[in-house]
């Protein structure tokens, strides 16, 4: 280790007193970092699962660094400002990748990054308390919202995130609205739903599993039965209820795609991709991700444009539902 | 309930588990002691290691880091006057004066023994009282959190020894500092000057290490005597500290209860617990103990038992409802899911070996903490024997690398530098630093829950009065406030009058 | 009674002959802080449309409250200072020799230099220089011992953080790692 240090030192001193030292042929020669856009939590641990397996493939360490801020945009800007040497990866979650650029809050779009493989998705659902007699099913729920415009209170976690857009879009489609109470920590919202302060809330499969004694789903935001089954067998999909909210496939879910700086050399990107594919295909990695409610999506880097492009279009059409909700509440 | 523990015995009795707990305790101590790093960073850094371990061993390792890391910060607070973690900011108030009185080893012993005992107590409550306490926690909504935040902010007037006005001023400064960055409710950028670097706010670790560590280094340099070797008594390893701690058993039990309570409320955290426990202990000094703020054993016992009991408390909503109270438990929750264990009420009912093993690991890690801590104490005290000319630069460097490690950004180091200068200026003119920590932690809770309360309400802030728990807490706060503002003489007269009436 | 005559552990309010200029400066800084908050609310926050509306949108609600609280506290402190009532913290009553204050200033300069050098030189060279400079400022002699300790300590800390804790330390232009 020390000899390696001396060797690098000697080479560095001889070769390049000022220029950067990017050698694709010996990549990776040191620890790699991955910027993570939220505070530490379950999604952070999932990122570590994948990067740890990638690190083993590459024979190096990949450290995940949590840099929350500006609704996730801070970590994206940080990666853009960093060197394009393949030593800084980005856990590209959909909200800062697609929604924030569409809202005009960024200078980048999803096309300003080079994709690696896609990682995982988390399907969302609307949940209510099991013992809440007002909402035996989806139809009565909408009926209630119609009779009490703007009176019901729900939470999507933060304001202006993907669950907020999806719920607002669904309610707008039904011609109803409610008040979104922001909670920076999703868990606090679920606690207040349990405690009876909130009328309904978004949820993810794992929190739902843990609160099955108290919660039931009204609708899961997906068209696929096996995705809805991540909640429970009774959970209904959008299709089951005959709903078209203009968001299909991945669009109404939370999902992440690993990214690097756009100018990263091709051979380095190729090395990373080989490692990430191998990591994702490992049965232990798949098993762990699924156990935690993060479903592996397995889209290859070539599919980035064809998958993300249409999602962008759908989100662009749906995001106005948030503004519509705010307008209704003002009246 | 005991059968959970018994069924866990098998999975606990393996070398990997015991090794994991031991290793985790040592790592936890180290990340706790180093300024900047703390239990959260320790857990994050060691999480990938657990992917290849048996579930119970992996959780044992992480939980030990959580437990020992929550205690380790006290040691740097006592020895160096720098809280190794924000959790130890209140321990400094009496721990450092104790060290100055030549009782560094005693103070460390007290801190470790109190942490260990209260940790076990917190663990027992976690195992046997989780479903009950979790249901209590769900009754605490925004109005209750707001009332509790006010209670915590009131503790400023108690901990700021120098001047209540100055303490409140620095407390308010802490609240403002926590607002820098994106407003968590509206996403509006506040006080960022439109920069990306400030959009995530200033990391609390950079602020606290800057305020305490840098200003302390500056004062040490100004004080002089760089070659002087401080006269430190040799430390023998002994179990005496348990006896010393148990002398404060009332304080220990009360502070542990406070710790478990605040720990069990998601978002409240051990920091409020330790400041609140300190404020209450201060009103009930033990005969024969030094005055609070001047090296009282009771001060160290209160803060350290509160913040370690909070570990057990924080695990309650995490395990019973999958609702983590802070970032550290959020990552622990993630680790638990990775091991295939789904938290929730069923976790306690269905048990299974793994759950029992994890509970055992929690209890044992607190016991191990004591022995590892006592064994390492001479090492920590030896730091005091270093000449200042080596000690000051080393501590500075460790602080810098520690702050850098949190987010890998040099920006954080510049922030630390600025707060070092600020801390120096504030301390020079008798503005206490501890309230800044309280403000930083409670500011966002107070603001968020106040605004959420307004959103729940149809008639403004009066909504709070519809919530009995919140109203009660606020009423008590009001009485405390009036009491604190009453001049001492009047207070004694009222007491005298009441006593004469009752007899 | 002047500042230096106060007992070292005296924390109660004391009437002083002359309030130190620093007390007034500290008070002024807090007033400035509160005014700055109001400026930010009236300027950028209002422009961005986040200074009014309901409790979600009104990001100015709480900062305004806190800024006014600070102004109120400043008024109380102002009266205290006029009455020459000053509460000094117990810890820093000693007179600093000029020479030490100078060393502190030099140390601060070294720190600034270190932070500037860190991204350019990388962790290892910058840290060795930083430690050496600090050691020498604090009168460590002979120089070769200071240099040796600086190198060894840098390597030890680098090893702990880079290899054990897997932190990516600043690389600099030379890209040196262990």
């Amino acid at each position: 280790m020390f000899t390696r240090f001396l060797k690098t030192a000697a080479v560095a001193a001889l070769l390049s007193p000022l220029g950067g030292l990017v050698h694709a042929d010996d990549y990776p020669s040191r620890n790699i970092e991955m910027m993570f856009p939220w505070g530490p939590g379950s999604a952070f641990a999932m990122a570590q699962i994948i990067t740890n397996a990638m690190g083993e493939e590459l024979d190096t360490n990949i450290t995940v660094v949590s840099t929350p801020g500006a609704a996730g945009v801070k970590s994206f800007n940080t990666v853009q400002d960093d060197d394009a040497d393949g030593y800084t990866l980005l856990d590209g979650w959909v909200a800062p990748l697609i929604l924030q650029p569409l809202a005009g809050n960024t200078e980048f779009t999803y096309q300003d990054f080079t994709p690696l493989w896609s990682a995982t998705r988390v399907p969302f659902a609307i949940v209510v308390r099991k013992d809440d007699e007002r909402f035996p099913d989806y139809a009565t729920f909408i009926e209630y919202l119609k009779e009490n415009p703007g009176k019901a209170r729900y939470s999507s976690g933060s304001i202006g995130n993907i669950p907020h857009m999806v719920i607002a879009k669904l309610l707008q489609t039904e011609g109803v609205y409610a008040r979104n109470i922001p909670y920076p920590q999703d868990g606090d919202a679920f606690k207040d739903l349990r405690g009876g302060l909130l009328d309904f809330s978004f949820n993810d499969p794992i929190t739902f599993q843990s609160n099955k004694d108290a919660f039931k789903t009204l609708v899961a935001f997906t068209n696929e039965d096996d995705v809805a089954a991540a909640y429970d067998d009774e959970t209904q999909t959008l299709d089951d209820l005959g709903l078209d909210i203009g968001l299909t496939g991945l669009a109404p879910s939370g999902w992440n795609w690993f990214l690097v700086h756009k100018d990263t050399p091709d051979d380095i990107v190729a090395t990373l991709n080989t490692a990430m594919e191998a990591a994702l295909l490992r049965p232990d990695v798949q098993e762990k991700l699924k156990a935690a409610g993060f479903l592996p999506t397995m889209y290859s880097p070539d599919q980035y444009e064809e998958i993300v492009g249409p999602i962008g279009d759908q989100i662009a059409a749906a995001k106005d539902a948030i503004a519509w909700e705010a307008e209704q509440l003002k009246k | 309930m005991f059968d959970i523990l018994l069924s866990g015995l098998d999975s606990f009795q393996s070398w990997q588990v015991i090794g994991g707990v031991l290793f985790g305790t040592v790592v936890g101590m180290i990340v706790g002691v180093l300024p900047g790093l703390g239990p959260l960073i320790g857990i994050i850094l060691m999480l990938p290691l657990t992917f290849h371990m048996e579930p119970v061993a992996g959780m044992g390792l992480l939980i030990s880091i959580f437990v020992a890391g929550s205690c380790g910060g006290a040691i740097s607070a006592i020895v160096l006057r720098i809280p190794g973690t924000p959790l130890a900011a209140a321990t400094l108030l009496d721990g450092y004066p104790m060290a100055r009185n030549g009782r560094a080893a005693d103070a460390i012993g007290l801190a470790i023994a109190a942490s260990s005992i209260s940790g076990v107590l917190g663990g027992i409550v976690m195992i046997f009282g989780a479903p009950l306490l979790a249901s209590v926690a769900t009754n605490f909504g925004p109005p209750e959190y707001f009332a509790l935040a006010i209670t915590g902010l009131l503790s400023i007037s108690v901990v700021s020894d120098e001047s209540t006005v100055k303490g409140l001023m620095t407390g308010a400064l802490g609240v403002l500092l926590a607002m820098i960055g994106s407003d968590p409710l509206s996403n509006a950028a506040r006080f960022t000057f439109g920069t990306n670097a400030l959009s995530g706010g200033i990391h609390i670790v950079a602020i606290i290490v800057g305020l305490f560590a840098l200003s302390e280094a500056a004062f040490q340099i100004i004080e002089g005597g760089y070659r002087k070797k401080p006269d430190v008594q040799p430390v023998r390893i002994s179990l005496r500290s348990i006896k010393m701690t148990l002398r404060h058993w009332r304080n220990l039990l009360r502070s542990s209860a406070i710790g478990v309570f605040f720990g069990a409320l998601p978002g409240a955290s051990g920091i409020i617990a330790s400041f609140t426990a300190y404020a209450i202990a201060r009103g009930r000094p033990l005969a024969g103990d030094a005055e609070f703020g001047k090296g009282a054993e009771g001060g160290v016992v209160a803060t350290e038992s509160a913040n370690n009991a909070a570990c057990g408390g924080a695990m309650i909503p995490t395990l019973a409802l999958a609702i983590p109270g802070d970032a550290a438990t959020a990552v622990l929750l993630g680790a638990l899911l990775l091991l295939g264990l789904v938290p929730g009420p069923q976790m306690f009912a269905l048990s299974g070996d793994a759950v029992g093993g994890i509970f055992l690991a929690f209890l044992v890690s607190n016991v191990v903490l004591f022995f590892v801590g006592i064994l390492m104490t001479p090492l920590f005290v030896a730091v005091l024997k270093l000449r200042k000319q080596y000690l000051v630069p080393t501590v500075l460097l460790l602080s810098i690398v520690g702050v850098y490690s949190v987010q890998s950004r040099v920006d954080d180091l510049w922030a630390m530098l600025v707060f070092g200068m600020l801390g120096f200026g504030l301390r020079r003119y008798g503005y206490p630093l501890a309230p800044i920590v309280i403000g930083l932690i409670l500011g966002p809770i107070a603001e968020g829950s106040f605004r959420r309360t307004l959103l729940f309400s149809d008639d403004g802030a009066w909504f709070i009065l519809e919530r009995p728990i919140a109203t009660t807490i606020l009423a008590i706060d009001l009485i405390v406030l009036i009491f604190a503002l009453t001049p001492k003489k009047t207070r004694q007269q009222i007491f005298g009058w009441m006593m004469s009436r009752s007899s | 009674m002047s500042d230096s005559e106060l007992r070292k552990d005296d924390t109660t309010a004391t009437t002083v002959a002359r309030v130190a200029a620093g007390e007034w400066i500290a008070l002024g800084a807090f007033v400035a802080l509160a005014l700055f908050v109001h400026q930010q609310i009236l300027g950028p926050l209002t422009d961005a449309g986040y200074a009014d509306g309901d409790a979600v949108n009104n990001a100015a609600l709480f900062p305004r409250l806190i800024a006014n609280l600070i102004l109120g506290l400043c008024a109380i402190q102002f009266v205290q200072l006029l009455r020459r009532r000053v509460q000094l913290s117990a810890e820093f009553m000693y007179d600093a020799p000029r020479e030490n204050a100078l060393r502190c200033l030099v140390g601060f300069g070294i720190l600034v230099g270190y932070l500037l050098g860190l991204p350019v030189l990388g962790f290892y060279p910058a840290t060795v220089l930083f430690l050496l400079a600090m050691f020498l400022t604090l009168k460590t002699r002979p120089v070769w011992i200071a240099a040796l300790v600086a190198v060894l300590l840098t390597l030890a800390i680098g090893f702990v953080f880079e290899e054990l804790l897997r932190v990516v330390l600043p690389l600099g232009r030379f890209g040196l790692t262990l």
Side-chain angles (χ1 to χ4, degrees), chain A residues 5 9 18 30 61 63 179, chain C residues 54 166 171 173-174 176-177:
Chain A
F5 174 78
L18 283 172
R30 58 178 174 91
N61 291 316
T63 316
R179 179 176 278 288
Chain C
D54 61 15
R166 301 173 174 197
L171 270 179
R173 299 266 168 86
F174 304 110
L176 299 184
T177 54

Side-chain angles (χ1 to χ4, degrees), chain C:
Chain C
M1 191 171 171
S2 77
D3 292 8
S4 53
E5 285 164 10
L6 288 166
R7 268 179 39 241
K8 228 184 172 180
D9 59 345
D10 193 354
T11 56
T12 49
T14 317
T15 308
V16 292
R18 188 180 59 83
V19 172
E23 289 278 359
W24 289 110
I25 294 172
L27 177 62
F30 271 97
V31 174
L33 173 74
L35 295 179
F36 167 73
V37 171
H38 278 295
Q39 182 270 330
Q40 287 285 307
I41 292 171
L42 295 174
L45 266 182
T46 305
D47 294 343
Y50 285 114
D52 57 5
D54 61 15
V56 175
N57 192 64
N58 192 350
L61 182 75
F62 219 67
R64 192 181 286 127
L65 213 67
I66 300 296
N68 291 339
L69 173 72
I70 290 181
L71 284 179
L73 290 166
C74 284
I76 300 176
Q77 179 68 7
F78 181 73
V79 175
Q80 294 276 7
L81 290 185
L82 279 186
R83 292 169 61 210
R84 286 181 282 143
R85 301 278 293 177
V86 172
Q87 288 146 310
L88 288 149
S89 68
E91 357 161 21
F92 305 115
M93 309 294 299
Y94 41 76
D95 291 317
R98 212 180 188 91
E99 190 204 323
N100 289 353
L102 204 67
R103 275 175 210 280
C104 182
L105 213 62
V106 171
F108 176 75
I110 295 171
L111 191 55
V112 172
Y114 179 51
L115 295 193
L116 287 173
L118 208 46
V120 183
L121 297 175
F123 175 77
Y124 292 95
T127 306
V128 170
L129 290 177
F130 165 73
L131 283 178
L132 182 61
M134 284 303 288
F135 286 151
L136 295 180
T137 310
L138 299 183
K139 300 193 204 168
T140 309
R141 298 293 183 279
V143 176
W144 72 268
I145 292 222
L148 186 70
V149 176
V151 171
L152 291 180
L153 194 61
T154 304
L155 289 175
I157 290 180
F159 177 76
V160 168
F161 278 85
E162 214 161 47
E163 294 296 323
L164 298 185
L165 299 177
R166 301 173 174 197
V167 170
V168 178
L169 294 170
L171 270 179
R173 299 266 168 86
F174 304 110
L176 299 184
T177 54
L178 277 184

Side-chain angles (χ1 to χ4, degrees), chain A residues 56-284:
Chain A
E56 282 165 8
E57 300 291 332
L58 294 167
D59 195 24
T60 188
N61 291 316
I62 306 183
T63 316
V64 186
V65 182
S66 155
T67 44
V73 170
K74 184 185 177 186
S75 61
F76 282 61
N77 285 335
T78 306
V79 170
Q80 279 219 313
D81 294 343
D82 251 4
D83 294 335
D85 54 8
Y87 287 101
T88 316
L89 316 182
L90 175 61
D91 191 356
W93 277 91
V94 49
L97 182 64
I98 312 265
L99 192 54
Q100 292 297 332
L102 286 172
N105 294 336
T106 67
E107 281 166 27
F108 58 79
T109 68
Y110 71 92
Q111 284 156 326
D112 291 321
F113 295 93
T114 301
L116 304 178
W117 279 69
S118 73
T120 58
R121 73 185 290 190
V122 180
F124 299 123
I126 289 185
V127 297
V128 293
R129 279 182 305 282
K130 234 179 195 166
D131 58 5
D132 195 331
E133 284 158 6
R134 295 172 298 172
F135 312 133
D137 55 23
Y138 178 78
T140 44
F141 167 71
I142 295 296
E143 203 55 42
Y144 177 88
L145 294 185
K146 259 188 195 132
E147 282 161 19
N148 302 280
K151 287 278 175 249
R153 292 178 174 91
Y154 74 100
S155 184
S156 70
S158 311
I159 288 280
N161 59 4
I162 294 286
H164 187 186
M165 176 193 79
V166 177
I167 293 177
K169 181 68 188 170
L170 173 79
L171 298 188
Q172 186 188 23
T173 311
E174 299 277 8
V176 293
Y177 61 96
R179 179 176 278 288
N180 188 359
I181 312 254
Y183 287 80
Q185 305 289 330
D186 295 346
D188 292 338
F190 305 144
K191 171 179 67 60
D192 281 352
L193 176 64
R194 254 190 109 104
L197 269 171
L198 289 168
D199 297 303
F200 62 103
S201 157
F202 92 108
N203 219 264
D204 58 83
I206 271 305
T207 320
F208 179 74
Q209 300 296 340
S210 308
N211 287 275
K212 244 180 173 170
D213 60 319
F215 293 171
K216 68 172 180 217
T217 57
L218 289 181
V219 54
F221 292 101
T222 178
N223 313 100
E224 299 147 60
D225 286 329
D226 54 332
V227 174
Y231 287 89
D232 59 12
D233 294 337
E234 278 108 74
T235 299
Q236 293 185 292
T237 63
L238 292 167
D239 286 348
D240 291 339
L241 293 165
L243 292 166
D244 178 11
I245 60 169
L247 295 162
T248 55
L250 267 191
S253 320
W255 51 266
N256 58 336
W257 203 305
F258 282 16
L259 309 166
V260 288
H261 194 293
K262 198 172 177 47
D263 302 332
T264 311
D266 290 341
D267 43 354
I268 289 181
V269 174
T271 309
L272 283 168
N273 274 326
T274 316
M276 187 166 177
E277 183 180 12
L280 286 171
L281 286 174
R282 274 171 40 176
D284 60 320

Side-chain angles (χ1 to χ4, degrees), chain A residues 33 48 56 70 182 191 210, chain B residues 47 52 140 182 343 408 452 455:
Chain A
E33 280 182 317
Q48 276 191 327
E56 282 165 8
K191 171 179 67 60
S210 308
Chain B
L47 184 55
H52 303 294
F140 277 69
S182 322
S408 293
R452 270 189 288 280
L455 290 171

